[in-house]
Amino acid sequence: MNNRAENKTINLSHGSGGLMMRKLLNDVIFKAFDNKYLNRKHDGALVKLTGEIAVSTDSFVISPIFFKGGDIGELAVNGTVNDIAMCGAIPRFLSLSFIVEEGLGLESLIRIVNSVKTAAKNSGVRIITGDTKVVEKGKGDKIFINTTGIGEVHPKANISSEKIKPGDKIIVSGCIAQHGMAIMSQRKGMEFEADIKSDTTNLNFLVKDILDAFGSKIHLLRDPTRGGLAAVLHEIAEDTQTGITIYENKLPLEKQVAAACEILGIDPIFVANEGIFVAIVDSDITDDLVELMIQKEKGKNTVCIGEISQDHPGKVVMHSSIGGKRIVSPPIGEQLPRIC
């Protein structure tokens, strides 16, 4: 990009439907996501899929839009890709909708578009349709993004909370609380000895690997975003009216994240994540599943943190590191708004 372009900012004319909007779309959007579906430049996209499909949509309003470990563009792709993967599906296509505030630097928009492009390529999905709107200055916060994903359900998948039964094991694919603490520390201007980075990443290939190997033995998949691990476990306990027992000394947690949580007085199981998932699985496959996952880069910190039980239905109980037990309360509100 030349210096002249770097000085430009988005204004209302870029969303007016006229020549400036067309130039923005042609020079930035279509150029970045060049593919046969998008190049038709139609109101929608025509695609071919086979079998059962999964569809998920999400809106991303995070502040700041650039953060340690990622940005809103990368997050918008990974978030929806992971939602499709949690359905036991293989993500194929995404729609992409920008709501841009007047005054956003064109350089920032291009940076975000390039992040979307890279994240989509890394996830194996194509951007096939989308929309761009520009709102007046003061009516937004730089940029909001909506993505909708479509994927084909894995032929061996049978993901349903109805399959959960006492004895099932609870698997977590990686360290908790990284995304939330990265955003929290940056927004509040806190500096820690070690940088804490968001864990945002795609999980679809790791999910496909375990579905290939274990199929219907995997009973439920969830990504613990807002509300963290506690929110997901509570939802499962309440929906299935089973008890959940977890062990504090099993929770995967990086030292710098644990230290930051301690300083701020925050329980890490309530903090948002963007690059891990929770799997409820048949106890028979637990060891083999964990062994498979820890061999993968994105599953190297996988651990079994607990089990489903007949005791205390509808509740989550944690066995503490010092030998006690406590009921984990459900999160009441978001500890930090606009985190994804």
Side-chain angles (χ1 to χ4, degrees), residues 34-206:
D34 177 47
N35 64 63
K36 65 179 182 180
Y37 304 99
L38 195 62
N39 290 346
R40 291 171 180 164
K41 299 182 181 179
H42 202 278
D43 286 344
L46 303 177
V47 299
K48 290 183 180 179
L49 294 167
T50 59
E52 188 176 13
I53 65 170
V55 181
S56 182
T57 190
D58 205 346
S59 296
F60 298 84
V61 298
I62 190 169
S63 177
I65 58 175
F66 300 105
F67 49 85
K68 291 179 180 177
D71 61 45
I72 190 172
E74 182 180 357
L75 193 67
V77 173
N78 291 338
T80 296
V81 161
N82 291 344
D83 285 343
I84 293 293
M86 296 305 109
C87 297
I90 301 168
R92 298 296 190 196
F93 304 109
L94 286 182
S95 72
L96 174 69
S97 178
F98 291 116
I99 298 176
V100 185
E101 185 185 32
E102 185 182 20
L104 178 71
L106 184 58
E107 184 182 19
S108 294
L109 179 62
I110 291 173
R111 181 178 169 187
I112 291 167
V113 166
N114 286 334
S115 289
V116 170
K117 178 183 177 181
T118 300
K121 181 180 179 181
N122 291 342
S123 302
V125 298
R126 288 180 171 179
I127 307 295
I128 58 171
T129 188
D131 186 41
T132 301
K133 294 287 192 306
V134 180
V135 297
E136 296 95 333
K137 194 170 183 61
K139 301 293 185 182
D141 191 359
K142 297 182 178 65
I143 187 170
F144 300 144
I145 301 177
N146 173 272
T147 48
T148 297
I150 303 174
E152 297 166 319
V153 175
H154 191 288
K156 292 184 178 180
N158 185 11
I159 306 296
S160 171
S161 60
E162 295 177 352
K163 294 181 60 186
I164 293 174
K165 62 183 187 303
D168 283 356
K169 299 298 183 183
I170 303 165
I171 309 296
V172 174
S173 69
C175 293
I176 63 173
Q178 291 187 208
H179 177 73
M181 293 311 299
I183 301 302
M184 195 174 299
S185 60
Q186 188 168 338
R187 196 184 296 175
K188 292 182 178 296
M190 300 175 185
E191 296 292 339
F192 299 104
E193 286 188 10
D195 279 346
I196 299 175
K197 295 181 180 179
S198 168
D199 61 344
T200 178
T201 192
N202 67 72
L203 298 166
N204 51 314
F205 296 114
L206 182 58

Side-chain angles (χ1 to χ4, degrees), residues 198-234:
S198 168
D199 61 344
T200 178
T201 192
N202 67 72
L203 298 166
N204 51 314
F205 296 114
L206 182 58
V207 168
K208 182 180 182 300
D209 286 342
I210 64 173
L211 287 172
D212 285 344
F214 303 105
S216 62
K217 292 281 188 178
I218 299 167
H219 297 161
L220 194 72
L221 296 168
R222 295 292 300 275
D223 53 343
T225 53
R226 287 174 295 176
L229 183 60
V232 164
L233 296 180
H234 265 285

Side-chain angles (χ1 to χ4, degrees), residues 17 21 40 62 74 117 119 125 128 170 175 241 252 255 262 270 273 287 303 319 321:
M21 180 173 178
R40 291 171 180 164
I62 190 169
E74 182 180 357
K117 178 183 177 181
V125 298
I128 58 171
I170 303 165
C175 293
Q241 280 303 298
K255 289 182 178 178
E262 187 172 352
F270 292 96
N273 313 275
D287 292 341
V303 63
H319 289 233
S321 301

